[in-house]
């Protein structure tokens, strides 16, 4: 056995300190300079030691702040299982709306102290004061704006579209402002995309589990959802999709959330993205991406959109600022490739141009560089909140609970042990003043009834931790097969 | 022959003065008090004389300002013809979008000095300063608003819905706030209404001519428009509709603009409204009304919505503030009767709740009574502008021109003599820096090619008059069959 290298000795030293609790979750590691001085090692050795601990998930690097101790993997928490490679259920569309809307209606009628079901961050995480100032400046700087119909170009304010196009470069997408049509959130963009490429009765392949809003859109348009097994790590299974295409030769569109999928938190590896784009192109199946979350990845390296690999206009890119900048504004957009003219017509006939005011205000905000600074802060906050919520779940939930570990985003996907029912949990939690999103909202089947989506958007507090503890008690008490 | 009454003597005296040009169009009549003193007559006689001249169309009453001399009926202008009672064309849907969007695109690319094609009033006619103040107050009074998703109730801000419900009483419609779903303008409301009651391929009866936006909506939803002959005075022909229903037993909805129809300016008499509501009810055909214009009638007596006669929830009421309050805000709403739950689902799936901010601001504005005061001013301005544009058309357009005389609203419908083509006029006018809406935008057929819609929304000026004069010269020069 070779002698341990200098850097691994140093790394082990700090690993012991962390295991002993001398350095605790969230503590800052000594700086590289301090390590060099304290242990008389070279810069290279100090750095190597930190990187080694980072690669093992013990430390994490925060830009401009150094290395910090990450929460420990809890013994109670196993990683999520990969889905079986079976053929998906037959395509279906009946029922999801009623189920989902009953849950939403019941949620909204009940007073809640702890909201773990939200799909956005807490208001405090967004730059509301700066946006308010930008709105007031836009109002004062454009007298008569409220008296004039729409923006000067029907697809949206030119400045806003230019800002969005510039911003898309982060996700490695090159768009001109002319290719962008502003919509009422990503929801309207997805509606337009699906209306552009399908007819009622058509089959659309989606991830399973997926965002319930997408299932509702499909149902409202009379489309059938073909749910493709998806991995909590790598997203939609390309093998399962190919298998499904062989069995159903009438798939008219594929819709995916490639980055930080809702609810799984999965990120498709770039190779999968490229393969999916090319496969859809070869099969002549339009590929629709919902790229709402790509700016919320932990890493400063942006996550790539599918559109980055699109060379034939077969990818329809949909996104919004609803989760990243301002939940109170409905600013989305669509870049529809080959279907641009059709989407333009559908948008005009469906709701005309979006109002100018929010577009002008946000264009100014984005041009100032404030958006990038805000995103860095938001990513850091969300990562911390996710870690805190994960740690609380790990501490309090029953043994055998499985938890996603998404590299960004707003939510965790939790599998309860012993086939406990999230529907039962939903009702029990609501009675206790806690709102959750039960797993059965995320599929037309009941396959995910023993899962739940836990939002990490709220600011972490003692009350929130107590809420999770109370929720864990309710989970524990549910009938189960263990 | 009985001796003329005192009041008719007095009336004739002023009629002569007007015919002689002593009192001219727009001049103010002496006040009732002045008449009493000058002619030593009773209050009752002075009032009767004025009312007599008003009933003959010589004077008009303006609230709190007294009586004014109305423009004379021009000899050159015949009233619009009633439509023939023939069976409508077969239902169709192909082509209107391309035609309309080509016209709109060409309009927008060309620089224009005179815009006679606008569908709203000039920005100066709207209370933009007061709305701006209300928006700023709403922003400051609700910190964090831009960071929170949607209004507290998913169908719209409770205060705004209450204000709309209160306001609907003017059109004799009794609604509770809970029956109202806020939409992105009347356009989205009409989309939702049609999606709620039809399937692609269905036949929908509409007025002919009708608003091109409606024809585009039908085409985008794959619906077929059955165009029912409509009168410039009384709107849709109920006889033609009944005849059509006998021939097409698959009419799945009727869509009408009962008040100040676009482009005709017709107002359905209350008896027609009642008959249409009951006929649709008996035939089990959903009746959709676009009630965008009812607040723009000249008279202070509001025009009734069809919904006022609805007792079974068969009428879907759609409206907006886009023409009456703020063209720069997309605030519409729908009250969908029997289809409330389905429309609620479709709206949620299509675009989620409208943003809170404009709703909060406008609710405050409406609650203050400022909306009613604004509407009185707007009605007076629009009436004056319509009279001025009518007078200019009468002076300059070729003999044989026919002109609608709508009792309110934003536009005039003009028939050119000698079957001159509005399409040719559109291109010639655009080259001369004048934008018009050619008649062929208002039907799937080319039946209205020798008509045009002239907007009266712009402030009247010497330049505008010169524009109409120049346009008249272009009309004169068009090939014609006279």
């Amino acid at each position: 056995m070779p002698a341990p290298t200098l850097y691994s000795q140093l790394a082990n030293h700090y690993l012991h300190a962390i295991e002993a609790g001398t350095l605790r979750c969230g503590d800052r590691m000594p700086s590289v300079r301090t390590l060099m001085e304290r242990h008389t090692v070279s810069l290279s050795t100090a750095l190597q030691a930190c990187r080694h601990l980072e690669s093992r998930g013990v430390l994490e690097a925060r830009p401009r702040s150094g290395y910090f101790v990450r929460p420990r993997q809890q013994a109670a928490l196993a990683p999520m299982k990969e889905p079986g490679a079976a053929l998906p259920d037959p395509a279906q569309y009946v029922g999801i709306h009623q189920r989902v809307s009953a849950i939403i209606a019941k949620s909204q009628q009940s007073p809640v102290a702890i909201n773990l079901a939200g799909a956005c961050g807490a208001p405090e995480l967004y730059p509301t004061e700066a946006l308010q100032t930008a709105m007031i400046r836009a109002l004062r700087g454009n007298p008569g704006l409220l008296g004039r119909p729409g923006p000067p170009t029907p697809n949206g304010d030119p400045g806003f579209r230019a800002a969005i196009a510039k911003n898309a470069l982060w996700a490695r997408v090159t768009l001109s402002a002319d290719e962008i049509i502003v919509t009422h959130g990503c929801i309207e963009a997805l509606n337009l995309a699906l209306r552009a490429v399908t007819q009622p009765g058509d089959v659309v392949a989606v991830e399973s589990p997926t965002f319930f809003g997408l299932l509702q859109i499909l149902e409202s348009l009379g489309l059938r959802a073909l749910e493709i097994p998806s991995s909590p790590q790598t997203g939609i299974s390309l093998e399962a999709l190919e298998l499904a295409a062989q069995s159903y030769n009438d798939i008219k569109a594929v819709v995916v959330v490639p980055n930080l999928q809702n609810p799984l938190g999965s990120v498709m590896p770039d190779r999968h993205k490229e393969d999916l784009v090319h496969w859809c192109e070869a099969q002549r199946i339009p590929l629709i991406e919902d790229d709402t979350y790509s700016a919320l990845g932990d890493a400063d390296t942006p996550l790539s959109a599918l559109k980055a690999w699109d060379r034939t206009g077969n990818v329809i890119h949909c996104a919004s600022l609803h989760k990243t900048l301002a939940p109170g504004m409905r600013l989305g957009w669509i870049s529809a490739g080959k279907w641009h003219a059709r989407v333009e017509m559908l948008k005009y006939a469906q709701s005309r141009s979006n109002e100018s005011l929010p577009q002008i205000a946000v264009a100014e905000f984005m041009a100032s560089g404030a958006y990038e600074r805000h995103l860095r802060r938001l990513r850091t906050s969300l990562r911390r909140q996710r870690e805190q919520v994960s740690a609380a779940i790990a501490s309090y939930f029953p043994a055998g609970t499985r938890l996603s570990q998404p590299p960004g985003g707003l939510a965790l996907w939790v599998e309860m042990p012993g086939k406990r029912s999230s529907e039962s949990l939903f009702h029990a939690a609501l009675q206790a003043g806690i709102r959750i999103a039960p797993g059965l909202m995320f599929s037309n089947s009941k396959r995910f009834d023993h899962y739940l989506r836990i939002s990490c958007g709220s600011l972490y507090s003692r009350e929130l931790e107590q809420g999770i503890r109370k929720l864990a008690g309710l989970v524990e008490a549910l009938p189960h097969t263990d």
Side-chain angles (χ1 to χ4, degrees), chain A residues 78-117:
Chain A
M80 296 301 266
K81 280 175 296 193
E82 289 294 312
L87 197 64
D89 292 340
Q92 52 176 322
Y93 65 98
V94 179
I96 189 68
H97 170 68
Q98 218 166 4
R99 191 195 300 170
V100 167
S101 63
I103 290 170
I104 292 174
K106 180 137 196 217
S107 286
Q108 282 166 343
Q109 283 154 15
S110 310
V112 289
I114 304 286
N115 185 0
L116 297 169

Side-chain angles (χ1 to χ4, degrees), chain A residues 16 44 70 142 200 216 252 263 296 338 369 391 410 420 440:
Chain A
H16 292 319
S44 152
R70 293 196 63 169
N142 297 274
Q216 289 177 297
K252 288 301 193 305
L296 300 185
K338 295 197 264 213
L410 284 149
R420 285 162 167 91
L440 45 59

